[in-house]
Amino acid sequence: MDKFRIHYKCNKTPKANSGLEGFTVDRTYTGRSFNGLFEVTPQWGNGKQTKLLKRQEFEEYFEVLPLAFLQQSA
């Protein structure tokens, strides 16, 4: 198990010039978080390049979902 793995939800469509194309509001995604950075991509594990965001930029568009929330929705 990847101890840095996170699940997050998109709350706001990223700006066109942000480099975060492909994210849809209210959809859940998989990524990683470490050292205050967030590694995001619309399709985790597909081989495409991920993007590293600082906490402030991540929280502008996304929110980390608690593990309990994910277990309830499964």
Side-chain angles (χ1 to χ4, degrees):
M1 181 173 179
D2 184 350
K3 69 179 182 176
F4 301 109
R5 173 100 14 124
I6 60 168
H7 296 278
Y8 58 96
K9 181 175 125 183
C10 180
N11 291 324
K12 177 179 159 186
T13 303
K15 297 175 186 171
N17 63 351
S18 68
L20 297 169
E21 298 84 14
F23 289 99
T24 306
V25 173
D26 289 332
R27 186 164 171 212
T28 301
Y29 299 93
T30 299
R32 297 177 79 216
S33 177
F34 51 91
N35 296 335
L37 297 173
F38 294 85
E39 185 177 13
V40 300
T41 184
Q43 295 178 335
W44 189 260
N46 69 353
K48 290 188 178 180
Q49 186 171 6
T50 59
K51 181 150 177 132
L52 278 177
L53 304 177
K54 293 180 182 176
R55 179 175 298 278
Q56 182 178 4
E57 187 176 7
F58 177 85
E59 290 177 347
E60 182 177 346
Y61 303 114
F62 309 105
E63 72 174 290
V64 175
L65 298 173
L67 184 58
F69 174 81
L70 296 169
Q71 291 172 342
Q72 289 175 356
S73 61

